[in-house]
Amino acid sequence: KKGLDVLINAFLNLTGRPSFSHWRLLVAGDGETAYVNQLQEQVAGRNGNKDSVAFLGWLSGAEKRAVLKHAALLALPSYQENFGLCVIEALANGVPVLVSPQVNLSEDIKTASAGWVSEVNASDLEACLAQALSDEDERVRRGNAGKEFAQQFRWSKIAEDLEQLYFTIIRPRKP
């Protein structure tokens, strides 16, 4: 569902170019053991590229914050994502995102200029990754836009909006 096999393929193709060979892909999260093994074998099958992809497993707390703090980009080329909490977490930390149109936040991200949107295929993802990873100033600009965009999802903002909604429901209507 997350499109990781396609992302890995696109990333390994891209890092095969000398100008992108210094980049690393960190895969965070867990999943079915057989699928994770399949992804690891996909990387191992690409001679000379195994050090450019690391599987970190599930991250939380300080460990997750540390990874986000040093991230240049978060990619979620999912085939279907009803929200994408990791996307909002990245944006809130000033990390721009690369998502697929199937991530329900993709149109909002595009409108806010908080990241890039790519179809879930290796050639489109590779081109989008190349664009994002080759321009640090643009990543910073989109990361800042993402930080601003993510403010609407703060718990205090959500509580305030919900409170206002409740007040509009319970206020007596004038005849």
Side-chain angles (χ1 to χ4, degrees), residues 3-156:
L4 293 176
D5 55 335
V6 182
L7 175 62
I8 289 170
N9 216 15
F11 182 79
L12 292 176
N13 288 342
L14 182 66
T15 56
R17 301 184 210 170
S19 59
F20 292 98
S21 63
H22 64 285
W23 286 100
R24 291 197 55 199
L25 175 64
L26 305 178
V27 180
D30 56 11
E32 293 180 23
T33 303
Y35 182 62
V36 174
N37 290 341
Q38 178 186 341
L39 293 174
Q40 291 171 334
E41 288 171 13
Q42 178 184 352
V43 173
R46 300 283 295 263
N47 294 334
N49 284 319
K50 66 180 182 179
D51 293 333
S52 62
V53 179
F55 293 85
L56 305 179
W58 185 259
L59 300 177
S60 60
E63 189 177 32
K64 177 172 52 173
R65 286 189 297 279
V67 169
L68 281 173
K69 180 180 179 183
H70 295 99
L73 181 73
L74 177 123
L76 183 66
S78 186
Y79 290 105
Q80 188 281 319
E81 203 70 42
N82 58 353
F83 184 73
L85 186 56
C86 66
V87 171
I88 293 299
E89 289 175 326
L91 292 171
N93 282 279
V95 178
V97 297
L98 187 165
V99 297
S100 66
Q102 292 80 16
V103 174
N104 282 352
L105 288 169
S106 65
E107 283 301 315
D108 296 321
I109 289 165
K110 191 186 300 184
T111 300
S113 296
W116 293 263
V117 179
S118 171
E119 293 297 331
V120 188
N121 66 65
S123 61
D124 287 353
L125 274 173
E126 182 179 345
C128 202
L129 282 168
Q131 181 184 15
L133 298 179
S134 64
D135 191 341
E136 183 178 357
D137 290 339
E138 186 62 15
R139 284 193 314 275
V140 168
R141 190 186 72 68
R142 292 187 192 211
N144 288 334
K147 204 170 197 174
E148 180 67 29
F149 169 74
Q151 293 303 306
Q152 66 187 302
F153 299 101
R154 287 184 349 262
W155 285 116
S156 59

